[in-house]
């Protein structure tokens, strides 16, 4: 079910006297709006998987998670601010016992929901519920068009879980699910196969960029597409872009010549932001780091106060100089690339994107730089047999102690398998113990 705005356009955050008169939406959005068009909300850091490139380093639940009532209060505020929809993620959001209650509450209060899931709890009954619910969209995460490629980064069995969820949605009559793919060095050659998969299940393909944040920082050198693959991706998107979603992931590719369809702009703090499980608000969904923390919605004034008044957001909405990139002929289209990608690779925010297709990023990466330390890590403390293949290479199957970081042995069924105790015939699904990912 495709979510489309049904309410008045969100008002500008900057007075009309300071706003551009070009008529281009990209110029209007750059100065920010009174409310985000949409936002990402990580409901939990608990996850049954431990994907190698997880940007939020998810795995373990934070005991300070917002309560059900606090989450409903946030939804009430988003309704008052006329936010069109929320991208709910995690972690694995369906692990939260109140997930379905919160989804229904959001829909009942005219806040659309697009949630991302690995599919572990999308059994036939849940799929039928979603098919009967308006204003809800579902994204199934799949990072390989084959199990070999997908499970390399997402873990054994995760491909089959995702495909089963897509089948359940299709058989339930759910229209236009999304297949969400993080583009990596290993799957760029599978773009046509991804599109075929989407067509098979009546879904829409959504491609996103790999960011070097969270655990992704540890594997970025191995996973991020090579320069020639960036060109391959660009050419493919130019041919298929009208039927493929990309969000604001690939505006750095515009420096090849022609801008891609969609919004070619970093929307961080301008039209989007992120709320984490404890209510902290970050400018960028791909930069969960103290450097981009704008405030907490539990403070006086709530989320609205953070969005409209935080110093960080005001700074991001100020006219940007472009720094070293401003002299490049492609600056107006690529806008210097991704803020998160630059920050987590130790490059200056007003410098070139590390994957600059004109080659300036390579030069910058070769210079002196300081990689920022992670602000938080919710990864599971114990190694599991669900660890992605790329993190398991070199281990003996019977010797988990040879993991990249020595740790204790698994202590629970859900630490052993992402599908421990899962019965597709049961509506609750997931870990039989209820402790999956927590």
């Amino acid at each position: 079910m495709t979510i489309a705005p049904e309410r008045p356009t969100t008002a500008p955050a900057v007075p009309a006297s300071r706003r551009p008169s070009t008529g281009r939406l990209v110029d209007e959005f750059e100065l920010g709006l009174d409310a985000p068009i949409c936002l990402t909300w990580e409901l939990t850091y608990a996850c049954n998987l431990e994907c190698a490139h997880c940007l939020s380093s998810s795995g373990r639940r934070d005991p300070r998670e917002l309560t059900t009532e606090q989450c409903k209060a946030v939804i009430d505020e988003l309704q008052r601010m006329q936010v069109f929809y929320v991208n709910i993620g995690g972690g694995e959001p369906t692990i939260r016992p109140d997930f379905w209650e919160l989804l229904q509450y959001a829909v009942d209060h005219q806040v659309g929901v697009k949630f991302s899931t690995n599919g572990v709890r999308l059994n036939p009954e849940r799929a039928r519920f979603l098919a009967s619910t308006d204003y809800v969209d579902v994204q199934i995460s799949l990072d390989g068009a084959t199990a070999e490629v997908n499970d390399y980064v997402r873990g054994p069995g995760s491909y089959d879980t995702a495909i089963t969820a897509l089948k359940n949605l299709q058989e339930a009559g759910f229209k236009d699910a999304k297949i969400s793919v993080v583009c990596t060095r290993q799957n760029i050659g599978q773009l046509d196969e991804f599109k075929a998969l989407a067509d098979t299940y009546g879904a829409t393909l959504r491609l996103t960029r790999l960011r070097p944040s969270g655990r992704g920082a540890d594997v970025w050198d191995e996973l991020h597409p090579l320069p020639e693959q960036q060109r391959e991706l660009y050419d493919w998107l130019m041919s298929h872009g009208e039927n493929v979603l990309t969000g604001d992931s690939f505006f750095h590719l515009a420096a090849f010549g022609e801008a891609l369809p969609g919004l070619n702009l970093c929307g961080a703090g301008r039209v989007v932001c992120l709320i984490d499980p404890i209510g902290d608000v970050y400018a960028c969904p791909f930069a969960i780091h103290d450097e981009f923390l704008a405030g907490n919605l539990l403070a006086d004034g709530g989320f609205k106060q953070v969005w409209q008044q935080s110093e960080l957001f005001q700074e991001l909405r100020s006219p940007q100089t472009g720094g070293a990139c401003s002299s490049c002929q492609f600056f107006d289209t690529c806008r210097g690339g991704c803020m998160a990608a630059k920050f987590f690779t130790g490059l200056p925010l007003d410098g070139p994107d590390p994957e600059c297709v004109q080659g300036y990023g390579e030069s910058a990466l070769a210079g002196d730089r300081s990689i920022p330390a992670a602000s938080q890590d919710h990864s599971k403390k114990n190694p599991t047999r669900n660890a992605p293949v790329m993190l398991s290479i070199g281990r003996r199957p019977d010797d988990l102690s040879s993991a990249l970081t020595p740790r204790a042995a698994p202590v629970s069924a859900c630490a052993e398998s992402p599908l421990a105790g899962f019965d597709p015939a049961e509506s609750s699904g997931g870990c039989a113990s209820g402790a999956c990912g927590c």
Side-chain angles (χ1 to χ4, degrees):
M1 296 182 178
T2 302
I3 296 173
E6 296 181 352
R7 283 162 287 179
T9 303
T10 306
V14 176
S17 60
R18 287 180 48 200
R19 303 191 73 81
S21 58
T22 63
R24 298 194 313 168
L25 278 178
V26 68
D27 294 325
E28 289 283 331
F29 288 166
E30 194 164 27
L31 295 179
L33 302 173
D34 267 355
I37 293 175
C38 65
L39 58 85
T40 297
W41 188 356
E42 309 284 31
L43 274 182
T44 184
Y45 286 131
C47 192
N48 56 302
L49 298 183
E50 41 197 311
C51 301
H53 56 345
C54 179
L55 62 89
S56 59
S57 299
S58 287
R60 292 176 292 121
R61 172 184 174 270
D62 191 312
R64 300 169 296 167
E65 273 180 11
L66 298 177
T67 66
T68 301
E69 291 309 309
Q70 287 173 326
C71 287
K72 288 181 177 179
V74 173
I75 293 169
D76 291 339
E77 186 169 17
L78 298 181
Q79 179 187 27
R80 291 192 296 270
M81 294 177 68
Q82 298 189 348
V83 172
F84 292 135
Y85 68 93
V86 292
N87 289 304
I88 291 182
E92 171 53 43
T94 62
I95 282 177
R96 267 191 70 130
D98 59 0
F99 170 76
W100 303 103
E101 178 184 353
L102 292 174
L103 182 149
Q104 186 66 61
Y105 188 86
V107 170
D108 290 344
H109 289 76
Q110 296 79 51
V111 177
V113 174
K114 177 185 291 185
F115 73 93
S116 297
T117 175
N118 56 47
V120 67
R121 292 191 171 176
L122 285 193
N123 57 32
E125 181 177 347
R126 289 303 188 190
R128 288 191 293 271
F129 165 75
L130 291 169
S132 68
T133 305
D134 291 331
Y135 222 37
V136 174
D137 206 357
V138 183
Q139 292 186 165
I140 306 296
S141 297
L142 193 68
D143 293 334
T146 58
E148 179 183 16
V149 174
N150 177 83
D151 294 3
Y152 181 70
V153 294
R154 298 188 63 83
S158 57
Y159 178 86
D160 291 340
T161 299
I163 293 299
T164 297
L166 286 166
K167 289 179 179 177
N168 288 342
L169 288 170
Q170 183 182 48
E171 291 173 0
F174 188 92
K175 303 299 183 183
D176 197 28
K178 308 298 183 291
I179 296 179
S180 184
V181 177
V182 177
C183 292
T184 66
R185 190 172 304 178
Q186 287 71 23
N187 67 25
I188 288 292
Q190 296 187 319
L191 295 173
D192 287 336
E193 295 173 69
F194 280 123
K195 186 64 172 64
L197 267 178
D199 292 342
T200 295
Y201 293 105
T204 295
L205 181 61
R206 181 177 187 269
L207 302 180
T208 61
R209 182 181 179 183
L210 174 71
R211 266 77 169 195
S213 57
R215 288 197 293 270
D218 299 327
V219 298
W220 190 76
D221 286 338
E222 180 178 347
L223 292 185
H224 79 93
L226 298 168
E228 59 269 26
Q229 292 179 312
Q230 297 278 4
R231 182 75 208 204
E232 181 182 354
L233 173 61
Y234 174 78
D235 290 341
W236 193 88
L237 286 172
M238 291 303 295
S239 299
H240 301 82
E242 293 295 339
N243 300 308
V244 176
L245 301 177
T246 60
D248 61 359
S249 285
F250 301 112
F251 56 92
H252 70 293
L253 298 181
F256 275 128
E258 184 178 348
L260 295 167
L263 180 63
N264 287 278
L265 169 72
C266 171
R270 300 180 176 104
V271 295
V272 299
C273 67
L274 175 136
I275 300 173
D276 84 348
I278 66 172
D280 281 340
V281 181
Y282 294 86
C284 175
F286 307 107
I288 304 175
H289 190 279
D290 290 346
E291 189 76 14
F292 302 102
L293 177 59
N296 188 286
L297 55 75
L298 295 180
D300 292 344
F303 173 74
K304 182 176 182 180
Q305 175 74 16
V306 177
W307 176 262
Q308 295 185 355
Q309 303 298 330
S310 75
E311 292 184 11
L312 174 63
F313 286 176
Q314 295 301 320
E315 180 181 348
L316 289 171
R317 295 163 190 164
S318 301
Q320 306 296 308
T321 63
C325 290
S326 60
S327 60
C328 176
Q329 63 176 314
F330 298 106
F331 175 70
D332 191 49
T333 49
C334 106
R335 304 284 176 134
C338 174
M339 178 178 71
K342 288 186 275 193
F343 176 78
F344 287 108
T345 51
L347 298 182
L349 298 187
D350 62 353
D353 189 291
E355 293 183 295
C356 169
V357 299
Q358 294 298 311
Y360 299 119
E362 296 176 42
S363 301
L365 290 171
D368 293 333
R369 54 197 174 99
S370 178
I371 307 296
S375 293
Q376 51 187 289
D377 186 355
H378 303 277
S379 301
K380 294 175 181 176
K381 293 181 178 179
N382 300 322
T384 79
R385 291 174 183 154
N386 306 317
V389 176
M390 72 175 297
L391 299 185
S392 304
I393 292 175
R395 296 191 210 173
R396 298 194 308 275
D398 59 345
D399 183 12
L400 289 176
S401 65
S402 61
L404 295 184
T405 302
R407 301 169 183 169
V411 294
S412 67
C414 60
E416 293 280 358
S417 169
L419 300 180
F422 178 65
D423 182 354
E426 304 216 356
S427 61
S428 60
C431 174
S433 69
C436 189
C438 297

